[in-house]
Amino acid sequence: MKRIFFVDDSGPPFGHMLLALGGYLGGFDGNFLWNRIGAEYTSNVPVWSLRLLPALAGALSVPMAYQIVSELQYSHCAAMGAALLVLIENALITQSRLMLLESPLIFFNLLAVLSYLKFFNSQKHSPFSLPWWFWLTLTGVACACAVGVKYMGVFTYLLVLGVAAVHAWQLIGDQTLSNVCVFCHLLSRAVALLVIPVVMYLLFFYVHLTLLYRSGPHDQIMSSPFQASLEGGLARITQGQPLEVAFGSQVTLRNVFGKPLPCWLHSHQNAYPMIHDVAAPLSPHAQEISCYVDYNISMPAQNLWRLDIVNRESDRDSWKTILSEVRFVHVNTSAVLKLSGAHLPDWGFRQLEVVGERLARGHHESMLWNVEEHRYGKGQEQRERELELHAPTRADISRNLSFMARFSELQWRMLTLRTEDTEHKYSSTPLDWLTLDTNIAYWLHPRTSAQIHLVGNVVIWTSASLATAAYVLLFLWYLLRRRRRACDLPEDAWLRWLLAGGLCAGGWALNFLPFFLTEKTLFLYHYLPALTFQVLLLPIVLQHVGDHLCRSQLQRSLFSALVVAWYSSACRTSYTLRPLTYGDRSLSPGDLQALRWRESWDILIRK
């Protein structure tokens, strides 16, 4: 709302742009600090409009669940079952009622899968028709939007690409199609599923960088040229300063790497760093950098450095403020001035350590520096110096930084940004998600015991995990049997079973297993995209058991009765947990204790 630049490591800016759109439509002026979960909103915050798009995304996910199961050629009852499970899942309801990004992410995940299935089914009878092009293009658009909301969306994008690649490979082997026809099929898929998502992804960042042109608290992690391209902040400090650095210039030097914190070369009252053959205090493999205070000291001076402009386009390019990346090489030892990244002890005021390291150890951004503030002198001295060097008195750095340069830097910062790995009260592990041994307290009424928690429907979560395991076992059994030329399923049922498993079980695996490799702090809501694919698989497995594993009519009738009873228990569980989902009524300590279905659930009970 205030056009202030920010960086979020959860993903690209499209999701935040959607929330901002809701605020804009509601007349929000941006005057609220979003620094504490559960804080009461002031009167100027249009809560309804800010929550509109996540709620709409959550509501539309219900009919899309029906459509996906239906497009997989399963029965109306199975499709209705999938829609009902998405409708009554407490965790999905909670996320869609608040200003959170999981609901839009799940919406675009489902839209991508549904669009591809629509495209795949239209391929059979009307390729290259208008609906065929529409669904194929919408698949690419939905994939781009999913990735644009959160980086987690890339898992579903890879899922769609994988299934599309398998189908394209089958298409290549179709002898009824000409070479030209096959080429057109492959080209259209490449454009829709590769080119369009890339273009849209760049468009998200273009709009983001165009709208957020003002300096903000996240500027510090960006490079000096990027900061100088923003209104205010560094641009205000450096406005009107000379561009070319020359002998006698007074400058501030900043490390290009800027990790773990932004670092400026700082030598207290002394002006030139010196190096000597002593191990650095925290990096013993490198040499210590220090500054002499007593010029009568017996140690010989080692303060001669050579300046290398690393990013110069030609030998005639001069050293420029902000734009030039330079390296300082010690003449006597060939050591390079480098930021080690370690914090000095208290005697070093907890500042970052700067060392001298041999070039033989390789090139890194921590060896590069650039000038931020620059002046030739004060008053008449500066004006005379500028006239002598014919240097401009005003350097517009923003014109020297292209969109692709800003996009590349911002993308790299987002991917490499690491917050401190502090243990959070509600953090959890992927194994906790499977058994629902964790929850998140979102809100507690300041006077009553009404509260909102992210908790799942225990019946649905447990059954979904069992259904996934059942699918894997049945798939392996059928595969072994088919290897022995024993086909338990008709060919069309087998292909339908494969596609359903590839999309639903594959979607669960791709959205769940990578979290075992991540080092960031994890929460229960990270599992919701994977859970959604499990929920879609659950009624498919139930129909498969009823159609193919129940041999007699009596068995089918008994199984159908059990399925109805199970759906009833899921609905009952959803209703029982409703007070923690909506937070719409006060609860006594006894009520809260009764809702604590897991000992590990942190339900807030006031004494």
Side-chain angles (χ1 to χ4, degrees):
M1 296 294 108
K2 293 185 175 182
R3 307 295 180 90
I4 295 176
F5 173 78
F6 69 92
V7 178
D8 187 357
D9 63 341
S10 68
F14 182 58
H16 295 284
M17 289 162 58
L18 290 177
L19 296 180
L21 175 61
Y24 175 78
L25 295 176
F28 183 42
D29 56 8
N31 290 319
F32 184 80
L33 292 177
W34 309 90
N35 56 355
R36 184 169 64 88
I37 296 177
E40 289 192 24
Y41 297 117
T42 55
S43 59
N44 67 307
V45 180
V47 178
W48 187 88
S49 63
L50 284 168
R51 291 178 175 176
L52 175 62
L53 290 178
L56 186 61
L60 292 177
S61 297
V62 176
M64 281 200 295
Y66 174 89
Q67 284 286 316
I68 288 174
V69 177
S70 179
E71 289 295 326
L72 286 169
Q73 309 302 319
Y74 284 88
S75 67
H76 169 73
C77 290
M80 284 294 295
L84 177 62
L85 294 177
V86 173
L87 177 65
I88 65 175
E89 170 47 48
N90 297 78
L92 297 180
I93 296 173
T94 301
Q95 291 298 109
S96 64
R97 295 184 68 247
L98 304 176
M99 293 171 240
L100 301 170
L101 296 179
E102 279 68 35
S103 181
L105 172 63
I106 291 172
F107 167 79
F108 287 117
N109 283 347
L110 295 181
L111 181 60
V113 172
L114 175 60
S115 300
Y116 182 79
L117 286 173
K118 293 274 191 181
F119 156 75
F120 176 71
N121 290 331
S122 64
Q123 166 75 26
K124 302 173 184 177
H125 51 80
S126 57
F128 299 107
S129 63
L130 187 60
W132 185 91
W133 280 109
F134 173 78
W135 292 116
L136 177 59
T137 304
L138 186 58
T139 302
V141 171
C143 288
C145 292
V147 178
V149 170
K150 274 196 167 186
Y151 284 128
M152 291 167 56
V154 76
F155 300 139
T156 300
Y157 183 34
L158 293 176
L159 171 71
V160 173
L161 285 180
V163 175
V166 172
H167 290 160
W169 183 253
Q170 295 172 350
L171 200 67
I172 294 174
D174 189 348
Q175 297 297 321
T176 62
L177 300 177
S178 65
N179 293 339
V180 174
C181 185
V182 170
F183 175 78
C184 291
H185 274 290
L186 297 180
L187 181 62
S188 59
R189 285 161 171 78
V191 171
L193 301 181
L194 295 176
V195 177
I196 289 180
V198 170
V199 172
M200 288 195 61
Y201 189 76
L202 291 173
L203 180 62
F204 296 150
F205 279 89
Y206 182 82
V207 175
H208 176 72
L209 292 173
T210 301
L211 292 177
L212 306 186
Y213 58 86
R214 290 176 178 165
S215 174
H218 292 175
D219 294 5
Q220 295 277 318
I221 66 172
M222 307 305 293
S223 68
S224 300
F226 195 103
Q227 292 185 52
S229 68
L230 299 173
E231 182 181 293
L234 181 62
R236 185 180 63 236
I237 297 173
T238 61
Q239 184 177 11
Q241 68 181 12
L243 179 61
E244 296 188 0
V245 181
F247 182 78
S249 292
Q250 300 175 9
V251 299
T252 60
L253 290 170
R254 171 177 165 151
N255 190 266
V256 172
F257 188 51
K259 291 185 179 181
L261 294 169
C263 175
W264 288 264
L265 190 61
H266 182 50
S267 57
H268 297 280
Q269 296 179 352
N270 299 279
Y272 293 94
M274 297 186 179
I275 189 170
H276 51 159
D277 196 13
V278 175
L282 301 180
S283 305
H285 63 276
Q287 293 174 292
E288 183 183 60
I289 301 291
S290 64
C291 290
Y292 288 113
V293 177
D294 185 2
Y295 289 96
N296 296 319
I297 196 168
S298 58
M299 189 178 296
Q302 299 281 335
N303 60 353
L304 188 58
W305 298 80
R306 186 183 75 248
L307 175 74
D308 293 339
I309 303 177
V310 177
N311 62 340
R312 71 195 321 174
E313 296 180 358
S314 67
D315 294 338
R316 302 178 60 183
D317 285 351
S318 59
W319 186 7
K320 293 182 174 62
T321 304
I322 294 181
L323 300 177
S324 296
E325 295 179 355
V326 300
R327 181 174 57 201
F328 294 96
V329 183
H330 190 244
V331 173
N332 295 41
T333 63
S334 298
V336 179
L337 190 68
K338 176 186 176 182
L339 172 67
S340 72
H343 285 274
L344 293 170
D346 291 339
W347 56 259
F349 308 103
R350 304 296 300 171
Q351 295 178 353
L352 295 175
E353 181 190 44
V354 176
V355 300
E357 189 166 284
R358 302 280 185 178
L359 266 175
R361 291 185 177 271
H363 173 75
H364 193 263
E365 279 189 335
S366 57
M367 297 180 175
L368 301 180
W369 304 80
N370 67 272
V371 171
E372 281 198 342
E373 298 180 55
H374 172 221
R375 63 184 182 187
Y376 293 134
K378 296 182 179 180
Q380 185 63 28
E381 178 187 352
Q382 178 171 354
R383 288 191 292 270
E384 292 175 357
R385 189 62 171 165
E386 290 175 359
L387 290 174
E388 177 186 349
L389 296 174
H390 304 287
T393 58
R394 185 183 184 91
D396 189 359
I397 304 299
S398 61
R399 296 182 180 179
N400 294 278
L401 202 62
S402 65
F403 161 71
M404 288 305 299
R406 300 172 72 200
F407 163 77
S408 301
E409 180 180 345
L410 179 56
Q411 183 68 77
W412 177 250
R413 296 295 183 189
M414 285 182 169
L415 292 173
T416 58
L417 182 63
R418 292 291 181 268
T419 55
E420 294 185 6
D421 293 330
T422 55
E423 193 69 22
H424 193 278
K425 180 180 180 180
Y426 294 108
S427 62
S428 54
T429 66
L431 291 179
D432 294 331
W433 306 339
L434 291 176
T435 54
L436 199 55
D437 282 337
T438 182
N439 73 306
I440 302 176
Y442 278 154
W443 174 78
L444 174 65
H445 195 280
R447 292 175 297 277
T448 70
S449 295
Q451 48 195 275
I452 296 177
H453 288 253
L454 180 64
V455 292
N457 188 313
V458 179
V459 173
I460 295 177
W461 285 54
T462 304
S463 303
S465 297
L466 293 175
T468 304
Y471 177 87
V472 173
L473 293 175
L474 285 172
F475 170 75
L476 294 176
W477 172 253
Y478 290 145
L479 203 60
L480 290 173
R481 294 270 294 166
R482 291 176 73 87
R483 187 64 177 170
R484 299 290 298 171
R485 298 293 189 269
C487 296
D488 301 291
L489 299 176
E491 190 62 22
D492 61 335
W494 169 247
L495 294 177
R496 190 168 66 243
W497 180 249
L498 283 181
L499 182 58
L503 285 173
C504 299
W508 169 80
L510 282 174
N511 281 276
F512 173 61
L513 297 180
F515 286 106
F516 284 95
L517 306 177
T518 186
E519 298 179 355
K520 67 181 293 186
T521 305
L522 300 175
F523 298 92
L524 181 61
Y525 54 75
H526 286 118
Y527 186 60
L528 296 184
L531 174 72
T532 307
F533 283 101
Q534 270 193 323
V535 169
L536 296 179
L537 183 64
L538 180 51
I540 291 174
V541 172
L542 292 177
Q543 180 181 336
H544 181 83
V545 172
D547 291 348
H548 300 283
L549 300 185
C550 295
R551 301 299 182 183
S552 64
Q553 185 60 41
L554 177 60
Q555 290 177 341
R556 293 191 181 93
S557 299
L558 290 175
F559 181 74
S560 298
L562 290 175
V563 169
V564 172
W566 176 84
Y567 273 108
S568 300
S569 67
C571 292
R572 178 63 183 174
T573 302
S574 177
Y575 181 78
T576 302
L577 295 174
R578 185 183 187 279
L580 297 180
T581 301
Y582 289 89
D584 54 355
R585 65 185 179 93
S586 179
L587 298 169
S588 67
D591 295 334
L592 292 170
Q593 192 63 45
L595 290 171
R596 190 180 180 186
W597 287 21
R598 294 274 198 273
E599 287 296 325
S600 55
W601 286 8
D602 186 14
I603 304 298
L604 307 176
I605 302 177
R606 285 185 171 135
K607 301 297 184 183

